[in-house]
Amino acid sequence: MKLNWFSPLPPARTGIAQYTAQILPALSARADVTLWTDQTEWNESLEQHAKVRRFEPERVRWSELNLADATVYHMGNNPFFHYGCWQTSRRHPGIVVLHDTRLHHFFAGVYRERWRDREGYVEQMKRLYGEDGRRTAEAFWTTRGGPEHIAEAYPLTPLALENSLGVLVHTGEAFRKLAGEKRWPTIYAPLPYAAATRLKKRRRSAATSASQTPYRLIVFGYINPNRRLDALLEALASFPERTRFQLDVYGEMWNADYLNERVGALKLEGLVNFRGFVSESELNCALDEADLAVNLRFPTMGESSLTQLQIWEHSLPSLVTTVDWYRELSTEAVAFVRPEHEVQDIQTHLWDFLSDPKRFARMGQKGRRILERRHSPEIYADALLKFAGQTETLHRRAITHRLSERVGAEMGAWIHPRTKNDAFNRVAEKILPLVV
């Protein structure tokens, strides 16, 4: 099978670029893959597995795209990384992989920052969510506040799927929602991760005393407000045994000045270190030395977590928020923090860790087993390619739906609302044999 693959590529600082690097060896062993990117540079090592072609959204080589059997587009919330992918998908149908299932961040960035199109944004919100959506859009545009508070109620995700032949998602909750809408053929496959074989980590004994080296907590990734670092700092500040822990934070921060001020105000100097963005090898060393990872997310954009899979690769126990994908995780592999009781729950887990570090070490080992069993790139590649192999059927279904929508729009003006659904279903049944 020949496959077009539109995705951010390393060294882009996004988990979706890492995901592509993770899946590519298994995928290229099963298909002839062409990677398409609008980046000006990419890691040359990718070309060991696939051809890399650069494109510009306004000048795509359609004849070359049409040589493939299927095209896969990857959508996330960063408008810089995914704009070209989305624009191409609007003109060339394919399978969309939803890395975030709430895409208000993405579309707010496109309409407000890139296009400066207030009317277009408001119209889309009204079309999808009615008058309530219109009012919310106008208020959002005026205040220029962040979209986190409206992303769940107004995800705008259908805009990313309008020309989609099918959808692949990484969470059970997203699958149940999209499959239940019966609009797009949808499959679920756990996020893939090629777990490296690692040496057994150094672990201190349960008898470690406060006079010895503190236990090391780690947070890593892009640190924005939904990573709940504020709550973690507050929990540490009022924790009686806080000197028995050291917190290392790796990654870019949305507001470094604010976080440094918080550390000072909470008198956590010497216990909290902001390390910034580091190389993959340096981060791996830090994870090997860590004792407990903190991977809180609230609100989420409906994503699964590459960060969590990295944590499990290192057999680390972790604290996660009881929301969306994280809520589906085993209590034997993670410790849960409730959004409405963050400080209390974090401190409870810190006490439990000090009382029984070996129990938390077993959590990390359980996570490693889950990673190896459920997140295999080979299993993921097989599922994706099986889905992509149905392209002709998916095309016919998409044509059927578009014809039904057009007929439905015409019928809507003269069909009684109580009989509308039955009438539309009969129309779809008549259209289907025409395209099969």
Side-chain angles (χ1 to χ4, degrees):
M1 174 183 288
K2 291 186 177 181
L3 197 68
N4 293 319
W5 188 269
F6 283 77
S7 169
L9 303 178
R13 294 182 180 182
T14 164
I16 299 172
Q18 293 176 266
Y19 149 92
T20 287
Q22 288 280 330
I23 187 65
L24 190 56
L27 193 66
S28 63
R30 293 160 168 78
D32 180 3
V33 182
T34 298
L35 303 174
W36 293 85
T37 180
D38 53 2
Q39 298 169 205
T40 57
E41 62 177 22
W42 53 86
N43 288 355
E44 292 183 0
S45 60
L46 297 170
E47 298 185 56
Q48 298 174 15
H49 303 285
K51 300 181 290 292
V52 181
R53 297 285 184 270
R54 189 171 185 274
F55 76 98
E56 297 178 14
E58 298 78 16
R59 291 191 292 274
V60 178
R61 298 191 290 275
W62 302 112
S63 60
E64 190 170 350
L65 279 188
N66 287 327
L67 293 175
D69 299 298
T71 299
V72 179
Y73 300 101
H74 294 271
M75 285 301 302
N77 255 311
N78 188 309
F80 177 78
F81 290 127
H82 299 282
Y83 176 77
C85 174
W86 174 57
Q87 286 293 82
T88 307
S89 74
R90 299 173 76 190
R91 291 176 285 173
H92 185 85
I95 293 169
V96 174
V97 178
L98 281 181
H99 292 267
D100 296 310
T101 59
R102 298 170 195 139
L103 291 171
H104 201 119
H105 265 305
F106 174 80
F107 288 107
V110 169
Y111 277 94
R112 196 167 67 176
E113 310 302 332
R114 190 175 189 118
W115 290 349
R116 304 184 187 282
D117 182 6
R118 177 185 179 278
E119 289 184 6
Y121 169 74
V122 172
E123 175 57 31
Q124 294 291 4
M125 286 283 282
K126 179 182 177 181
R127 180 173 70 87
L128 291 173
Y129 308 112
E131 281 300 308
D132 189 41
R134 180 191 62 77
R135 288 190 295 270
T136 301
E138 289 178 342
F140 166 68
W141 196 279
T142 301
T143 61
R144 303 191 71 78
E148 290 88 352
H149 66 291
I150 62 175
E152 186 169 358
Y154 310 97
L156 289 176
T157 307
L159 296 182
L161 303 177
E162 286 181 326
N163 201 32
S164 169
L165 300 179
V167 188
L168 187 153
V169 294
H170 297 137
T171 74
E173 182 173 330
F175 173 75
R176 289 186 290 273
K177 182 177 185 302
L178 285 171
E181 292 176 5
K182 299 181 180 179
R183 169 61 182 85
W184 300 276
T186 305
I187 67 166
Y188 160 59
L191 188 68
Y193 192 90
T197 302
R198 313 200 69 84
L199 297 175
K200 184 175 176 62
K201 293 179 56 176
R202 171 183 57 81
R203 284 292 181 195
R204 286 168 281 197
S205 74
T208 300
S209 70
S211 64
Q212 293 179 285
T213 303
Y215 287 107
R216 304 190 71 156
L217 308 177
I218 189 168
V219 174
F220 65 99
Y222 181 72
I223 312 301
N224 58 23
N226 84 321
R227 295 299 300 274
R228 313 308 298 157
L229 191 55
D230 242 338
L232 177 58
L233 295 177
E234 185 181 342
L236 281 174
S238 59
F239 189 64
E241 297 288 334
R242 65 180 185 173
T243 58
R244 297 185 66 183
F245 292 97
Q246 175 181 303
L247 171 62
D248 293 308
V249 180
Y250 290 84
E252 297 178 8
M253 298 182 289
W254 94 96
N255 192 329
D257 290 340
Y258 166 77
L259 291 172
N260 278 302
E261 288 174 5
R262 288 293 291 157
V263 168
L266 293 170
K267 296 181 171 50
L268 290 172
E269 298 96 334
L271 299 183
V272 177
N273 303 293
F274 296 119
R275 307 291 188 181
F277 182 84
V278 299
S279 68
E280 182 179 352
S281 60
E282 188 172 345
L283 179 60
N284 280 330
C285 288
L287 287 165
D288 280 338
E289 289 298 311
D291 295 289
L292 178 63
V294 181
N295 188 25
L296 305 181
R297 307 291 176 99
F298 189 78
T300 77
M301 296 300 135
E303 76 281 4
S304 54
S305 175
L306 183 68
T307 298
Q308 189 61 40
L309 304 188
Q310 290 176 274
I311 290 168
W312 282 344
E313 180 184 19
H314 293 261
S315 300
L316 269 174
S318 53
L319 309 187
V320 303
T321 310
T322 52
V323 63
D324 293 338
W325 176 79
Y326 304 88
R327 185 168 48 203
E328 300 172 8
L329 303 181
S330 169
T331 55
E332 296 180 4
V334 297
F336 285 117
V337 172
R338 297 165 294 173
E340 64 275 18
H341 299 287
E342 288 178 316
V343 171
Q344 174 189 337
D345 286 356
I346 291 168
Q347 291 185 341
T348 296
H349 292 314
L350 293 181
W351 281 121
D352 290 344
F353 180 90
L354 291 175
S355 299
D356 192 358
K358 289 183 178 179
R359 180 171 71 86
F360 279 78
R362 290 193 294 272
M363 279 187 190
Q365 292 157 9
K366 174 68 174 180
R368 172 72 194 209
R369 292 193 294 273
I370 292 172
L371 176 64
E372 294 171 350
R373 186 178 70 250
R374 288 182 50 80
H375 298 274
S376 158
E378 290 75 18
I379 294 174
Y380 184 93
D382 287 339
L384 187 150
L385 291 173
K386 181 179 179 180
F387 193 41
Q390 303 172 29
T391 296
E392 288 189 17
T393 301
L394 297 176
H395 266 291
R396 290 195 294 269
R397 175 170 174 151
I399 292 170
T400 302
H401 187 85
R402 283 195 290 271
L403 286 173
S404 299
E405 282 187 329
R406 291 183 62 181
V407 172
E410 296 294 330
M411 293 172 60
W414 49 274
I415 292 290
H416 193 282
R418 284 183 297 183
T419 62
K420 181 173 64 175
N421 287 338
D422 288 341
F424 288 174
N425 288 335
R426 288 197 299 273
V427 168
E429 289 172 0
K430 295 295 184 183
I431 291 173
L432 184 60
L434 301 178
V435 295
V436 173

